[in-house]
Amino acid sequence: MALFGALEVVKAQADREKFATAFLYLEKLIDKNSVEYKRLMECPSGGCKKVELDEENFALEQVYDAKDRKECFFESHRKYIDVQFILAGEEIIEVSNRNLLAVALAYNEELDFIKYEDKKGISSIVLKAGDVAIFYPQDAHMPCIKAGSGTKVLKAVVKVRV
């Protein structure tokens, strides 16, 4: 099941060897003098940049406005574990075991993506600046949900090969 919380807490709980590349990248990202930090801070609203980290892992650096829940959807992946880190802003992410949801769009191998039908009464977490969540293949998740009055989100999603 998903892990979430402050970066230091999640680092202590997660498999350090499996997530070594992701955590190294996130440590660079929070350093205000790093290339990674500056690149994400300069990303335009609505922008998304793919950054190759090594032969098996990459990051998606994103800037967007969090959305109303009705504009969001559940997704999961088979080839990659999502490590979602909020650099600035906040959002709600709903999470459920994928077996409890009906598939809306079948698995797309090229995109490593399954989309699920909406379901109410699902667990939710609020991620704020400095928080990270790890979503494994069994964790269907609905990111990007507006928390309160909404906010611009600067986020990195590190894709860690299963």
Side-chain angles (χ1 to χ4, degrees):
M1 190 61 173
L3 295 174
F4 60 92
L7 178 58
E8 290 305 315
V9 173
V10 173
K11 280 175 59 177
Q13 296 173 344
D15 178 344
R16 287 185 179 255
E17 186 176 330
K18 179 79 174 164
F19 295 102
T21 299
F23 291 146
L24 178 62
Y25 166 78
L26 294 179
E27 290 295 332
K28 291 178 185 176
L29 188 62
I30 60 176
D31 176 358
K32 292 183 178 182
N33 295 313
S34 72
V35 170
E36 292 80 1
Y37 177 87
K38 292 174 185 174
R39 184 176 54 228
L40 185 52
M41 293 304 287
E42 293 171 358
C43 186
S45 188
C48 181
K49 179 173 180 62
K50 183 177 180 179
V51 179
E52 298 291 339
L53 301 177
D54 61 26
E55 61 280 348
E56 293 197 350
N57 306 289
F58 63 93
L60 299 172
E61 298 175 345
Q62 309 168 344
V63 177
Y64 56 86
D65 291 324
K67 307 172 197 167
D68 290 330
R69 186 185 183 283
K70 65 184 178 214
E71 299 176 61
C72 303
F73 54 85
F74 284 102
E75 64 184 67
S76 73
H77 315 286
R78 290 184 182 166
K79 295 179 192 175
Y80 290 94
I81 300 165
D82 272 9
V83 179
Q84 299 198 15
F85 177 76
I86 305 290
L87 182 64
E90 67 179 345
E91 70 180 33
I92 296 168
I93 301 179
E94 293 190 5
V95 62
S96 175
N97 184 301
R98 69 180 182 202
N99 295 332
L100 301 177
L101 303 174
V103 173
L105 288 175
Y107 182 65
N108 180 320
E109 187 169 358
E110 185 178 325
L111 298 175
D112 187 38
F113 177 84
I114 304 168
K115 183 177 179 181
Y116 298 90
E117 292 181 12
D118 193 10
K119 185 173 182 178
K120 304 289 185 202
I122 299 297
S123 297
S124 63
I125 57 176
V126 177
L127 291 184
K128 298 180 180 186
D131 287 342
V132 63
I134 299 178
F135 298 107
Y136 294 89
Q138 70 271 16
D139 300 319
H141 49 285
M142 181 189 291
C144 308
I145 303 170
K146 189 184 303 181
S149 61
T151 183
K152 180 171 290 218
V153 177
L154 281 76
K155 177 174 163 180
V157 178
V158 182
K159 298 289 196 166
V160 176
R161 187 70 131 154
V162 172

